[in-house]
Amino acid sequence: DRLKSLGFETHTVSDGSAALIRFYPANQGDLDFEPRGNPFTVSIWVRTTVASGYNTVLGKDRNVSPFDTQYRLWMMNSPSLIQGIAGNQPSANVSVASAPLNDGQWHLLTLVNYLDGATWRSRVYYDNGTTFTQFNTGAGGRVESLLRIGDTSRGGNGWRGQIDDLRIYRRAMSQAEIATLYNTPDRETFSDWL
């Protein structure tokens, strides 16, 4: 199987509605950002039609108790709520009820970690960045687990839908740059996306 040869894990969801594809990127050393020491941006396009469940887009979490989270993006048991975590500190839920995550359309999720004066902060942006939440980055540092795309590092909350165009930057992007990412592709012609 071509996907398995590239390092992807494939699974069928128990209700048979979709296949999960989860993987660990090969360049893990480049993705081990210190939440209170490195600015970074993670942006990823997602599409789903699921109505509930904790669906993780990406996660870098400890595999054993106390299950700390270095960083994560996920849907919070409702297609109208998304959340980010940085340094083991969760954001407030971002309400996306006006354009819910499960409408079958592609949506851009972005997590930005940055130094604001003397305080590390994070933001979770939805689509073009006009909908977002900001929170202080937590004191939790690095975890030994690998970043996993499509689930938490330890598994169990897999993404049920499609993921495409993952981008990770070693700098904090502005809302204007996120709007450019959102508007750059012709979102009507995703036929070449997986």
Side-chain angles (χ1 to χ4, degrees):
D1 177 63
R2 184 175 180 275
L3 289 175
K4 288 183 180 176
S5 72
L6 295 172
F8 289 84
E9 286 180 47
T10 59
H11 303 276
T12 302
V13 177
S14 60
D15 66 7
S17 65
L20 292 176
I21 298 178
R22 301 176 275 201
F23 70 99
Y24 298 99
N27 57 334
Q28 289 288 326
D30 295 331
L31 306 174
D32 194 23
F33 304 111
E34 173 62 50
R36 285 193 173 175
N38 301 120
F40 63 86
T41 301
V42 178
S43 73
I44 190 165
W45 286 89
V46 299
R47 179 166 63 177
T48 190
T49 57
V50 300
S52 64
Y54 292 89
N55 294 281
T56 304
V57 176
L58 59 88
K60 188 162 181 352
D61 317 87
R62 189 178 317 275
N63 287 328
V64 296
S65 182
F67 304 116
D68 293 338
T69 300
Q70 191 168 333
Y71 55 97
R72 180 191 304 164
L73 280 170
W74 65 341
M75 181 179 97
M76 293 291 299
N77 202 27
S78 165
S80 297
L81 298 174
I82 59 174
Q83 184 186 68
I85 301 174
N88 209 40
Q89 175 65 48
S91 71
N93 293 337
V94 179
S95 175
V96 295
S98 62
L101 201 56
N102 72 338
D103 64 4
Q105 302 300 308
W106 285 101
H107 293 283
L108 182 64
L109 300 180
T110 308
L111 175 65
V112 177
N113 191 64
Y114 63 100
L115 184 61
D116 181 15
T119 304
W120 282 95
R121 300 189 197 282
S122 295
R123 286 188 176 180
V124 177
Y125 293 95
Y126 189 63
D127 284 342
N128 65 3
T130 57
T131 300
F132 71 93
T133 188
Q134 177 176 294
F135 60 103
N136 289 345
T137 303
R142 290 185 167 112
V143 299
E144 66 282 352
S145 302
L146 301 176
L147 170 65
R148 190 173 197 182
I149 310 303
D151 208 339
T152 62
S153 298
R154 65 184 178 272
N157 290 308
W159 178 253
R160 294 186 295 162
Q162 295 170 290
I163 294 175
D164 209 331
D165 200 19
L166 167 67
R167 296 180 185 206
I168 301 176
Y169 301 86
R170 291 190 153 284
R171 64 181 182 86
M173 294 181 77
S174 68
Q175 188 276 328
E177 291 174 304
I178 292 163
T180 299
L181 282 179
Y182 179 77
N183 292 311
T184 297
D186 178 358
R187 294 185 323 273
E188 299 303 316
T189 58
F190 286 127
S191 60
D192 59 335
W193 289 27
L194 297 174

